[in-house]
Amino acid sequence: MPPSGSAPGPGTGPDTGTGPVGGPAVSRPPTIADVAKAAAVSRTTVSHALNGLGKVDPRTRERIKKVAAELGYRPNLRAQRLRRGEAKAIALASSMPFAVAGGPSRLGFYMEVAAAAAERALVHGYALVLVPPVRTGSPLYSVDIDGAIVVEPDQDDVAVAQLRERGLPYVALGRPVAAGDEAPYVDLRAGLVVDLLLAHLREQGARHPALIVGAGARHSTVDARAAYERAAAEHGWTPVVATASEQGGEEAGYAACAALLAEHPDVDAVCALVDVFAVGAVRAIRDGGRRVPDDIMVVTRYDGLRARTCEPPLTAVDLHLDRAADDAVELLLGRLRGEATAPVATPPEPRVVPRASSLRRTPGVTPPA
């Protein structure tokens, strides 16, 4: 406490939220005027010092920042956004239905990306707006954002169309497939993922693997199908490819696998890239009187909750989605800052996570879960 008669320090007094000695506390937060008064400068100087604007002497700038911190001053972020014409928010959008992207638990590919992207955006002072999968309507017209990350855009992607109409920058998580779409993207390397899964199946003894993919034209379907057909030609098996509607979820995967096995009974492995399709495929194999993995092995692309909780647990691929989401945020913010960014970001190489669904049993050895 200062001695009697001394002037109050910068952290006391009625203008800074603390009442005079013996008096009631003032509840209002300190304002920019309070900082200006305590630092003996103008409000404009305070604004420029705290926002990195104008020509303020470095020593004055640091003194103002120190006074603001001592007073507990917090800038009005909404006012700053209005002055700069920025929302300080980016969106995560996708046209993938929740039957595939999230599932009944809402915990899946889309939400794993969202969690990592939100954390990275916040580091840069941006909020992440999570837009439910865009199929119809106009959700992206109604949110105040500076740009967006579009998860695995389809050929005629609704989210991309709405962002273009608004003139907002976007980047893609996964290679864009639409002709002329030159948006920066994070390469999830769908072709390599299939190469790795098929190599694993061959190591486990598969000779007639089949492929089940979504009916759309996302990169994960287009690139995967091309990789599968190359492998079939190289290793001499007849290509067997089935498609299923993403909207149909697990039941669509079940139906596709059941029909495939009825027509091609010699199939000994199923690469169902969509994890929900793989879960349906396991049921179809069992309902058809066969065993997983003894008779038919099953693998999938995304190492998420469904893969780990399926019975048996599914062999899947670590796509390093946390790193991929970080890269997507950095690409987008680079565009917003007007920086010359690389057109493609590449996270670490995907890695197969072998589990019981594809590990053929040997006497005395139990495959890991």
Side-chain angles (χ1 to χ4, degrees):
M1 178 181 296
S4 177
S6 65
T12 62
D15 289 335
T16 61
T18 304
V21 177
V26 178
S27 60
R28 71 169 178 79
T31 66
I32 197 169
D34 298 326
V35 178
K37 181 178 179 181
V41 296
S42 70
R43 297 185 188 186
T44 299
T45 301
V46 172
S47 178
H48 286 180
L50 297 181
N51 293 294
L53 304 173
K55 295 181 179 180
V56 181
D57 180 80
R59 290 171 297 179
T60 302
R61 189 186 302 274
E62 289 306 312
R63 181 167 59 84
I64 291 171
K65 288 182 178 180
K66 182 179 180 181
V67 169
E70 290 174 347
L71 295 179
Y73 171 74
R74 297 291 182 271
N76 186 323
L77 297 179
R78 182 176 298 175
Q80 287 183 352
R81 291 196 297 266
L82 289 173
R83 285 195 300 271
R84 297 175 181 175
E86 297 176 339
K88 296 297 286 185
I90 58 176
L92 183 72
S94 176
S95 59
M96 296 170 67
F98 253 131
V100 169
S105 67
R106 296 297 192 263
L107 297 173
F109 184 96
Y110 189 53
M111 297 308 295
E112 183 173 342
V113 170
E119 185 175 356
R120 173 59 60 173
L122 194 58
V123 168
H124 294 282
Y126 281 77
L128 183 77
V129 178
L130 186 59
V131 179
V134 179
R135 301 300 296 181
T136 58
S138 55
L140 280 170
Y141 293 124
S142 60
V143 291
D144 187 14
I145 54 175
D146 298 315
I149 299 166
V150 181
V151 178
E152 298 205 325
D154 211 334
Q155 183 76 43
D156 299 308
D157 200 89
V158 180
V160 168
Q162 292 183 13
L163 289 165
R164 283 178 167 173
E165 286 185 33
R166 290 186 61 181
L168 292 175
Y170 67 92
V171 301
L173 186 66
R175 183 179 65 82
V177 292
D181 191 341
E182 297 181 354
Y185 68 94
V186 178
D187 190 358
L188 295 181
R189 292 185 281 186
L192 176 59
V193 166
V194 170
D195 288 341
L196 293 172
L197 288 172
L198 292 177
H200 168 75
L201 290 173
R202 289 196 305 274
E203 290 172 358
Q204 295 297 313
R207 295 297 176 264
H208 303 285
L211 180 71
I212 300 177
V213 292
R218 305 184 195 283
H219 82 100
S220 53
T221 295
V222 174
D223 295 351
R225 188 164 190 157
Y228 172 80
E229 290 173 352
R230 285 195 304 269
E234 179 182 352
H235 296 284
W237 72 67
T238 301
V240 177
V241 180
T243 60
S245 168
E246 293 177 344
Q247 295 282 0
E250 184 177 327
E251 292 306 316
Y254 180 99
C257 186
L260 182 153
L261 294 178
E263 186 175 354
H264 303 278
D266 61 334
V267 164
D268 58 3
V270 172
C271 181
L273 288 193
V274 181
D275 57 353
V276 68
F277 292 170
V279 174
V282 168
R283 285 203 297 117
I285 292 167
R286 285 176 166 169
D287 287 355
R290 304 197 207 183
R291 299 166 298 170
V292 177
D294 304 71
D295 301 317
I296 301 177
M297 295 178 279
V298 179
V299 297
T300 192
R301 172 190 178 217
Y302 169 54
D303 183 26
L305 186 63
R306 288 193 188 97
R308 297 170 194 149
T309 58
C310 183
E311 184 52 48
L314 296 172
T315 291
V317 178
D318 180 1
L319 299 173
H320 303 285
L321 284 185
D322 53 348
R323 172 66 181 275
D326 286 355
D327 290 346
V329 171
E330 296 294 343
L331 276 180
L332 179 58
L333 296 186
R335 291 197 71 185
L336 293 178
R337 292 189 293 261
E339 298 173 357
T341 58
V344 182
T346 306
E349 185 168 309
R351 176 181 63 89
V352 173
V353 182
R355 294 196 178 94
S357 69
S358 66
L359 295 176
R360 290 267 168 90
R361 295 184 177 89
T362 56
V365 177
T366 302

